[in-house]
Amino acid sequence: MIIPIRCFACGKPIAQEWPAFKEAMKKGGDLKKALDKAGLKRQCCRAVFMGHIDAIDVISKYKRG
Ligand SMILES: [Zn+2]
């Protein structure tokens, strides 16, 4: 699906940093540096970014009807 707007655990808005983070990782950037640059200091917010996979384009092929 899409990245959650806020962190599940602490509620900090994080979605605005996702496109830049994804771009940095696509260029083969360092994960730690990319997370630091996105301003994610807490482990809960960092875990949301590390565990996320954009699956909306895959899932939307199988809609009902
Ligand atoms: Zn958090």
Side-chain angles (χ1 to χ4, degrees):
M1 287 300 178
I2 59 171
I3 187 85
I5 305 301
R6 287 173 177 267
C7 171
F8 288 123
C10 71
K12 175 185 163 73
I14 52 173
Q16 76 279 3
E17 306 293 349
W18 177 249
F21 173 80
K22 204 166 71 172
E23 202 58 39
M25 292 311 291
K26 203 187 279 178
K27 285 178 190 162
D30 183 48
L31 177 63
K32 183 183 182 298
K33 278 185 194 156
L35 288 168
D36 288 341
K37 205 176 176 190
L40 302 172
K41 288 176 184 160
R42 300 181 197 101
Q43 59 180 338
C44 54
C45 309
R46 293 168 86 96
V48 173
F49 268 48
M50 286 190 281
H52 184 72
I53 296 167
D54 271 330
I56 188 74
D57 294 332
V58 177
I59 292 165
S60 61
K61 283 184 211 161
Y62 303 103
K63 63 188 171 195
R64 271 196 283 173

